[in-house]
Amino acid sequence: MRRAALALLLGAPAAAAPVAVELPRKVFVLYRGDAAPGGIPGSQSLSFHTRAEVWFDHLGLVAEYLDASKPLPDPAALDSARAVLTWFADEAAFGDPKPVCRWLSSAMDAGLPWILLGRTGLRTKAAAGFPAIEPDCGDALRKLGVVLDAPRPVDSMSVAVADADQAVVGFERRPDPSELPAVPAVELLPGGTALLTLAFNDGGAPRSVPVALTRRGALALDPFLLYANREVTPMEYRWVVDPLAFFGAALRMKGLPRPDATTLSGRRMVMYRVDGDGFFNRSEISRRQYSGEVFLRQVLEKKPDLPFSLSLISGYYELNLYRAPEALTLSRLVLNRPNVEPGSHGFAHPLVWSSGTLALSIPRYRMDPEREIVASARTLEERFLSPRKRVSVFQWTGDCLPSESDLLLAERAGLLGINGGGGRFDAEFPSYAYLYPMSRVAGSARQLYAPAYNENDFTGLWTGPYYGYRDAIETFRRTGAPRRLKPVDVYVHYYSAEKFAALQAYKQVLAWSESQPLIPVWGGRYARAARDFFKMRVLRTGPRRFMLEGAPELRTVRFDDEPGVPDLAASQGVLGFKREPGSLYVHLDESARREVVLAAEPGPGPWLEEANFEVEGWSRAGEGLRFRKRGWGRAEGTLAGLRPGRGYRVRCAGREWTGRAGSDGRISFSLPDSERWGEARETTVEALR
């Protein structure tokens, strides 16, 4: 059944289209668990995870990891599989690669494309000379659509780029076949499309195709995938291929919806998160105040219309130094503010989760995951929170590498865990390759990463320059356009209020975020959307018709290079849409089953183009609308599909706005008050007669 479904997706003829065909979202990545880079167990240190997986998030796909040093599952039984992918660091990654090659061959027979990256990993070490390719591995490569020979020794006079697809190759760095002493020797078999062709004049085979779409997948081999210079600090990376163009073509993503966790109501999300470190540090700004109090007075009280997700370390309160009435009162004031989402940052702040190394020394206490995760949250609730508030977020500490059991412990306790990952993209780290993905897998659990680094990574691990966090703005800009890869995560520790320069830098980032067309959300709201990203099922229900099942907290799907728009009458659970350069963002309601039908025109009636608030209970009646809104600050929204020149009234909680639709059928309205993420308010839009 799955072979037939994949054949339909790849354009093969079928006698009759089924009512609904699930579009596979999982890409299975093979790796060697017994030879992880740096000796770090798991997938988090793999090149694919640290350099490329962010692009699979952007494509709406889910990376799952298969340890090829253990028995591999039957490829035909892989759930919701779209492709298999390999990116090994060595040409000979296995003592005996034949079982892996046979498995890859079976996967292609089952209809799964194979994406071959970096080095093959499938050669067999020889006593002398370059590692050879065993017959089983040669058969798998031919099935993929290529024949590989030993790499060709080259110099600047013997090799040149004969042809390159400019839409794919030369993204952050032009291909340079002479920068290494040898290059891959690849013959592309019929049925493939060359994306990069090298020409030789040394008397051997005249051509090599190291980057190509093949008849059963794709390949991009070193050094034409990702340039890496590990001899400098920081290590230098540049993408030679455009990852979005290459992976999108290799995985046949054209015309398909991408679940998207960066956007809500047509706007990029922004969150403001603070880890608990430094709360009780004396501030240099005022030696009489804790840094937590400086943060309260200079940030929280002055920004009542911004949502802050703040965490505290509960083990502080086991120490006599922090049991003083002023310390307890300060903690209570901070966590109970209406613009604060309370979170826990552990009990004794584990620095290394695997070894139990702790940051806070508490008499007679040794690392206990239950105490660190569940009990720390409940302690904060019991000691400091009003009955209307609870701790729902756990911000991972230290190396941010909790185990599978740690992650499941937080999940069972109803805590949304976040942190780790992150990334930078600026003048010092000038490549998309420095960005981490949305999450990592640990056994049966999944950890949600922070979308960006905190100020520690901009200040030399808090040794200076203390104004360094202002450079985070450049990362936010570059990850928002021309491709929106990440939400904005304004993320610091309380010790940023310890230094004048650090606090000023933080305020500069806050001011920048307030000047942008963003939608402010709790960190927990983003985490719920990111969690549901991995749960959404996408089904094709007909030509240009897609059913989205599950994931009610994920409210956006995106189409890239899509000329059409949602047919609002034929679609279900669609609030509206917005075009950004190269992308169509479709806004979804809160139901667990939505359907997007694409057409040339949206049809009559109003729709939501964008807003800085979340929308639920959406209903259209003629030219009017009724919905519930919930957001922060002055409410701003744009409606489209209205009758040009006609007047409209927007009403909400005793406030109203009136205006006239422009010649393009749009109005942009604003209301002076917001819910501050409290109870959603009924809002109506009516045409004036």
Side-chain angles (χ1 to χ4, degrees):
M1 177 67 182
R2 187 168 59 78
R3 290 187 193 180
L6 279 170
L8 178 66
L9 295 178
L10 297 178
V19 174
V21 176
E22 182 168 1
L23 303 179
R25 293 184 59 209
K26 292 181 181 177
V27 175
F28 286 87
V29 181
L30 268 60
Y31 75 105
R32 273 196 61 183
D34 59 350
I40 302 173
S43 60
Q44 64 268 12
S45 58
L46 301 177
S47 292
F48 173 79
H49 178 71
T50 58
R51 308 297 165 204
E53 190 176 337
V54 66
W55 293 103
F56 286 68
D57 294 341
H58 189 62
L59 286 167
L61 301 175
V62 178
E64 298 279 358
Y65 291 83
L66 296 176
D67 186 350
S69 65
K70 300 176 181 178
L72 292 167
D74 180 357
L78 291 177
D79 177 50
S80 192
R82 186 166 198 85
V84 296
L85 183 148
T86 60
W87 186 350
F88 295 112
D90 303 305
E91 286 293 337
F94 299 90
D96 179 10
K98 292 190 293 294
V100 176
C101 293
R102 294 183 192 122
W103 187 90
L104 288 165
S105 186
S106 297
M108 288 184 281
D109 288 340
L112 296 179
W114 172 20
I115 314 300
L116 170 58
L117 303 178
R119 299 182 181 179
T120 65
L122 303 176
R123 296 178 183 268
T124 302
K125 292 181 180 178
F130 196 77
I133 296 178
E134 295 279 353
D136 284 339
C137 296
D139 290 345
L141 289 165
R142 279 188 291 275
K143 191 170 290 185
L144 172 64
V146 295
V147 175
L148 264 64
D149 203 345
R152 295 277 292 273
V154 294
D155 57 39
S156 60
M157 302 298 292
S158 65
V159 64
V161 172
D163 188 44
D165 186 328
Q166 300 299 316
V168 179
V169 178
F171 180 56
E172 293 178 338
R173 181 183 173 90
R174 289 182 297 179
D176 182 357
S178 66
E179 67 186 356
L180 293 179
V183 297
V186 184
E187 177 190 352
L188 181 64
L189 298 178
T193 301
L195 301 176
L196 175 65
T197 302
L198 307 180
F200 304 98
N201 60 9
D202 58 2
R207 304 255 166 171
S208 177
V209 183
V211 183
L213 302 177
T214 70
R215 60 195 183 194
R216 295 268 188 119
L219 84 162
L221 300 181
D222 287 344
F224 306 108
L225 171 68
L226 177 71
Y227 168 81
N229 182 353
R230 297 178 177 87
E231 303 301 317
V232 296
T233 302
M235 290 184 287
E236 185 178 356
Y237 297 98
R238 298 289 191 282
W239 282 103
V240 180
V241 302
D242 180 337
L244 182 60
F246 176 75
F247 292 130
L251 294 162
R252 280 70 165 179
M253 293 298 296
K254 184 175 177 59
L256 301 184
R258 287 100 158 129
D260 192 298
T262 69
T263 302
L264 182 65
S265 299
R267 289 195 175 191
R268 188 184 183 194
M269 285 190 268
V270 57
M271 67 203 85
Y272 304 90
R273 301 189 307 113
V274 182
D275 281 349
D277 313 56
F279 187 79
F280 289 116
N281 290 9
R282 290 293 177 182
S283 174
E284 294 179 2
I285 298 168
S286 173
R287 289 293 188 182
R288 296 180 180 180
Q289 292 181 315
Y290 293 126
S291 295
E293 184 175 357
V294 173
F295 195 90
L296 169 66
R297 305 302 178 199
Q298 296 205 26
V299 179
L300 298 180
E301 292 181 349
K302 293 185 177 181
K303 300 289 184 183
D305 286 324
L306 292 184
F308 292 88
S309 298
L310 308 184
S311 62
L312 289 180
I313 301 170
S314 69
Y316 275 133
Y317 308 101
E318 300 296 315
L319 305 175
N320 290 333
L321 183 62
Y322 307 114
R323 287 177 173 173
E326 61 269 24
L328 302 179
T329 298
L330 174 62
S331 304
R332 194 170 290 112
L333 283 173
V334 166
L335 292 183
N336 284 289
R337 283 194 58 79
N339 62 332
V340 166
E341 176 185 47
S344 172
H345 200 48
F347 176 70
H349 190 295
L351 290 172
V352 181
W353 281 80
S354 60
S355 67
T357 305
L358 304 172
L360 199 59
S361 178
I362 299 174
R364 297 177 298 281
Y365 174 70
R366 302 177 74 176
M367 172 70 173
D368 174 10
E370 175 81 25
R371 188 80 178 268
E372 290 295 337
I373 300 168
V374 182
S376 69
R378 302 304 163 240
T379 297
L380 294 175
E381 288 178 346
E382 293 165 5
R383 290 191 177 185
F384 301 117
L385 295 189
S386 68
R388 297 182 61 185
K389 282 203 168 192
R390 66 180 298 270
V391 172
S392 59
V393 176
F394 188 88
Q395 300 191 175
W396 298 106
T397 66
D399 65 356
C400 296
L401 289 175
S403 67
E404 175 187 14
S405 60
D406 297 331
L407 292 164
L408 293 175
L409 190 62
E411 184 179 327
R412 287 193 294 267
L415 294 169
L416 293 161
I418 189 170
N419 271 356
R424 287 178 65 173
F425 187 10
D426 53 29
E428 190 174 353
F429 296 84
S431 171
Y432 285 102
Y434 297 101
L435 299 175
Y436 277 80
M438 194 188 310
S439 70
R440 76 174 180 100
V441 174
S444 63
R446 185 177 293 274
Q447 175 187 348
L448 297 179
Y449 280 154
Y453 282 153
N454 58 50
E455 86 280 42
N456 208 33
D457 293 276
F458 291 87
T459 58
L461 301 181
W462 202 239
T463 61
Y466 294 109
Y467 55 79
Y469 191 61
R470 67 188 185 186
D471 293 338
I473 293 172
E474 187 61 23
T475 293
F476 298 149
R477 286 183 177 134
R478 294 190 185 195
T479 55
R483 295 159 176 179
R484 187 180 296 171
L485 293 183
K486 300 267 193 176
V488 175
D489 184 16
V490 182
Y491 169 31
V492 297
H493 302 80
Y494 289 108
Y495 53 66
S496 271
E498 181 183 340
K499 302 281 188 181
F500 178 82
L503 185 58
Q504 292 305 112
Y506 178 61
K507 289 180 178 180
Q508 186 176 343
V509 177
L510 290 179
W512 174 85
S513 73
E514 291 179 285
S515 72
Q516 303 301 303
L518 305 171
I519 177 169
V521 298
W522 299 123
R525 178 64 188 92
Y526 163 74
R528 290 195 298 275
R531 178 191 60 190
D532 273 11
F533 170 91
F534 300 98
K535 297 179 179 180
M536 180 175 278
R537 294 179 67 228
V538 181
L539 303 96
R540 193 199 300 274
T541 55
R544 307 187 79 195
R545 301 179 70 104
F546 304 96
M547 184 69 71
L548 313 171
E549 292 189 345
E553 298 284 3
L554 186 69
R555 306 287 173 84
T556 301
V557 292
R558 192 188 77 254
F559 294 83
D560 290 343
D561 302 316
E562 172 55 58
V565 296
D567 181 331
L568 298 173
S571 300
Q572 298 178 28
V574 173
L575 312 181
F577 59 91
K578 184 183 181 185
R579 285 202 181 277
E580 298 282 0
S583 295
L584 172 73
Y585 287 85
V586 179
H587 324 324
L588 307 174
D589 70 7
E590 68 275 20
S591 60
R593 188 179 177 91
R594 289 76 64 100
E595 186 172 22
V596 180
V597 180
L598 296 175
E601 299 292 338
W607 74 84
L608 179 69
E609 185 169 273
E610 66 171 312
N612 69 344
F613 50 80
E614 188 166 358
V615 171
E616 294 183 349
W618 177 271
S619 64
R620 297 196 304 167
E623 294 186 63
L625 291 171
R626 183 178 296 274
F627 56 88
R628 297 187 303 276
K629 61 175 279 291
R630 185 167 54 182
W632 291 92
R634 186 179 185 87
E636 300 172 348
T638 297
L639 300 173
L642 304 172
R643 188 178 302 183
R646 186 156 200 174
Y648 290 85
R649 177 184 292 117
V650 182
R651 288 177 171 171
C652 178
R655 307 272 189 170
E656 71 174 51
W657 177 95
T658 58
R660 199 167 293 278
S663 60
D664 58 358
R666 285 175 169 80
I667 58 169
S668 293
F669 67 90
S670 64
L671 296 168
D673 197 11
S674 73
E675 300 74 30
R676 293 183 178 173
W677 219 254
E679 194 71 26
R681 293 173 175 175
E682 193 77 15
T683 305
T684 61
V685 180
E686 59 181 333
L688 301 177
R689 304 297 176 185

